[in-house]
Amino acid sequence: KSAISSPDLPKPVGPYSPAVRAGQFLFISGQIPIDPATGQMADLGFYHFILRGDQPGAAASGTLIGAGGFKGSPDARGEVEIGYSVLSAFQRQGYATEAVRAWIDLAFADPRVETVVGQTLEGLTPSIRVLEKAGFSYAGAGEDAGAP
């Protein structure tokens, strides 16, 4: 993976880059994540992800296919949670699985991270399968209302 920046962009606040290229994805910083427990900026973010223009199905300038990332910084237990969403036209093509795997690698590159959590609703079989393909296993009911 490689960070992407430009002298034409404003300087990022904290340890952020405007974008990160990982495999066929270009993760673009979509918002500055705030850790709800502390009110401070989180250092693992949430991103829009775009197919590069040279990928099948992408427009010449790239195509937005989804968003996802981390819901905040690692907590006191070293736990981070990921979330993601892929536009329906790009579902069932392996993009979510590839993105989740990249976020897992990014998370475990941070020495504070011990556990990566992913939650989904019981009826969202494709999302459950994404998590399974990325190496997750069911560990019980989650903390989000309605999520297993």
Side-chain angles (χ1 to χ4, degrees):
K1 75 180 182 232
S2 60
I4 297 171
S5 64
S6 166
D8 299 325
L9 296 172
K11 288 206 169 271
V13 176
Y16 298 98
S17 64
V20 174
R21 181 175 304 227
Q24 67 178 338
F25 288 107
L26 179 63
F27 295 99
I28 297 179
S29 184
Q31 59 187 344
I32 297 175
I34 302 296
D35 185 331
T38 65
Q40 300 297 311
M41 239 182 350
D43 45 359
L44 292 173
F46 205 76
Y47 306 91
H48 295 104
F49 46 102
I50 295 176
L51 282 179
R52 293 192 325 253
D54 61 347
Q55 295 298 310
S61 61
T63 302
L64 174 71
I65 65 169
F70 302 94
K71 295 183 178 181
S73 298
D75 65 16
R77 300 172 301 200
E79 186 175 284
V80 292
E81 184 174 352
I82 59 166
Y84 54 90
S85 178
V86 175
L87 297 172
S88 60
F90 298 96
Q91 292 175 356
R92 299 179 186 257
Q93 297 178 49
Y95 298 127
T97 302
E98 184 174 349
V100 168
R101 287 176 176 155
W103 291 321
I104 291 168
D105 290 345
L106 182 61
F108 286 123
D110 185 322
R112 300 169 301 158
V113 174
E114 296 289 328
T115 305
V116 177
V117 173
Q119 297 186 60
T120 188
L121 298 174
E122 187 174 21
L124 295 179
T125 304
S127 189
I128 292 168
R129 185 69 186 122
V130 164
L131 293 172
E132 290 172 343
K133 287 190 291 185
F136 287 84
S137 58
Y138 182 74
E143 295 176 7
D144 289 345

